[in-house]
Amino acid sequence: MNVRLYVWQRGTAALMAPLVLVHLAVIFYATRQGLTAADILGRTRGSITWGLFYGVFVLAAAIHASIGLRNILVEWVPGLRSRAAALISTAFGAVLVALGARAVAAVVLG
Amino acid sequence: MTPSGKPDLSVSIWRGGADGAYRTYSVPSRDSQTVLDVVTYVQRHLDPTLSYRFACRVGMCGSCAMTVNGRPRWTCRTHVSRVAKGDKLTVGPLENLPVVKDLATDMRPFFEKWQDAKGVFEPSKTRDDAIEPIRPDTRQRQLADAGVECINCGVCYAACDTVKWNTDYLGPAALNRAWTLANDVRDAGQTERLQAVASGGGCHACHSHQSCQEHCPQTLNPTASIAGLKRLTALAYLRGEIEA
């Protein structure tokens, strides 16, 4: 891992720390209050705030996880070139962004 | 049985190159006996073809590091009574370095990485300039002093998981050296050094397992030095002083 990847991984970790806490608090609130799926969607649909919150969360998680996967591949797969590890981890990050964006769109749009 | 009444030590020593094997010797047990004493006894009395390195015998030169009962140690300062398991010793070459023969490893990768990390002092003055006074109580000098007593024994390099996994990784000793120089206000090669240790095999590859700190015979803390380099390089990168 070079300094650029290090800054991105630590930066996204710092960004996600408060996001995870808010996410957990929302889960506890939703379950303790007995909110139904319809109740939740009623609050999230059309909400720019929740769209931004989870959109940023998805991007940060995808960047953070793909850099981590790249490190694992470089250290644990013998003979794998760093370029191949970068390609695989970038593809993995793209899949995370696509899946995450689909989930965010499902609760915010429509 | 020795004159002291103690049973002989059963000592397994690595013989040959990378494809060698352990061979077992019986060595008389003595009081205050070091692992280096044991290896020397085997060579002087049992098998003169045994190859190993040592020089000072007092923990200064860093030549005699070996793997003793699975752990990297400086053998001249390691007492048998502290590490033997039931009168048994296993002595092998250091891990993470090519074996030349028996207990002697090829230290070139270790020292080449020292060079790659720019572990050389770059003077900022000439011999015609006055000697710059450095106060020992300044923050930077204290940080440098904390890591400067490295004896280049290679124990941390042999103990490091990241070195094992990532052949490009510069390793704890070279990065610790870079950190001491990074805190030397007289040094003129700071940007180049930070650039060198911010590369793919540099300080950011460290997982902070702290095996280097655990095993360092000089009780240095290379993990802390590497953490310092991570901070310095990250700030230098954000300021645009170095590239990824």
Side-chain angles (χ1 to χ4, degrees), chain A residues 1-4 6-7 10 74-76, chain B residues 165 198-200 204 207 230 233 237 244:
Chain A
M1 181 157 61
N2 62 30
V3 64
R4 180 169 55 86
Y6 174 82
V7 167
R10 294 303 193 274
V74 166
E75 290 186 355
W76 286 81
Chain B
W165 298 330
S199 63
H204 303 104
H207 288 281
K230 286 177 181 175
T233 50
Y237 175 70

Side-chain angles (χ1 to χ4, degrees), chain B:
Chain B
M1 194 74 79
T2 59
S4 63
K6 295 178 184 172
D8 286 352
L9 294 167
S10 174
V11 185
S12 297
I13 296 181
W14 185 262
R15 300 307 310 270
D19 56 350
Y22 281 98
R23 194 180 301 168
T24 304
Y25 303 88
S26 186
V27 177
S29 181
R30 308 271 188 225
D31 289 335
S32 303
Q33 189 176 25
T34 67
V35 175
L36 184 62
D37 292 337
V38 169
V39 173
T40 301
Y41 181 92
V42 171
Q43 195 211 45
R44 302 286 160 87
H45 298 281
L46 303 178
D47 189 345
T49 65
L50 176 65
S51 300
Y52 66 107
R53 285 198 197 95
F54 75 98
C56 75
R57 298 177 296 161
V58 290
M60 290 176 68
C61 72
S63 306
C64 69
M66 301 169 199
T67 306
V68 183
N69 282 354
R71 285 177 169 244
R73 294 182 183 277
W74 55 353
T75 55
C76 71
R77 298 292 298 272
T78 301
H79 279 236
V80 171
S81 58
R82 197 157 60 87
V83 293
K85 293 175 179 167
D87 301 317
K88 286 189 176 175
L89 270 185
T90 302
V91 186
L94 283 180
E95 297 275 328
N96 298 339
L97 289 162
V99 180
V100 178
K101 176 178 175 287
D102 304 338
L103 301 174
T105 52
D106 183 353
M107 299 291 283
R108 275 180 296 185
F110 177 73
F111 289 112
E112 282 165 2
K113 287 179 178 178
W114 193 279
Q115 301 284 332
D116 293 340
K118 306 283 183 195
V120 179
F121 177 71
E122 297 291 344
S124 54
K125 296 184 185 306
T126 70
R127 64 179 65 192
D128 300 319
D129 295 313
I131 293 175
E132 186 176 350
I134 305 293
R135 288 188 59 83
D137 58 355
T138 56
R139 170 86 177 139
Q140 280 195 300
R141 193 60 236 168
Q142 287 176 342
L143 289 172
D145 283 345
V148 85
E149 295 290 346
C150 174
I151 57 172
N152 311 355
C153 63
V155 162
C156 60
Y157 192 83
C160 178
D161 293 323
T162 312
V163 170
K164 194 181 292 290
W165 298 330
N166 182 353
T167 51
D168 293 334
Y169 180 47
L170 296 170
L175 291 170
N176 179 72
R177 171 64 177 166
W179 171 246
T180 61
L181 289 171
N183 285 289
D184 192 331
V185 295
R186 302 166 302 168
D187 188 279
Q190 299 297 356
T191 304
E192 293 80 4
R193 185 172 300 110
L194 290 183
Q195 184 69 68
V197 301
S199 63
C203 58
H204 303 104
C206 170
H207 288 281
S208 305
H209 288 170
Q210 302 183 61
S211 294
C212 51
Q213 178 191 1
E214 174 72 19
H215 292 88
C216 176
Q218 294 285 77
T219 63
L220 304 183
N221 187 353
T223 311
S225 300
I226 295 166
L229 284 178
K230 286 177 181 175
R231 286 193 300 274
L232 275 188
T233 50
L235 288 172
Y237 175 70
L238 293 173
R239 288 195 203 103
E241 295 165 5
I242 59 172
E243 297 168 359

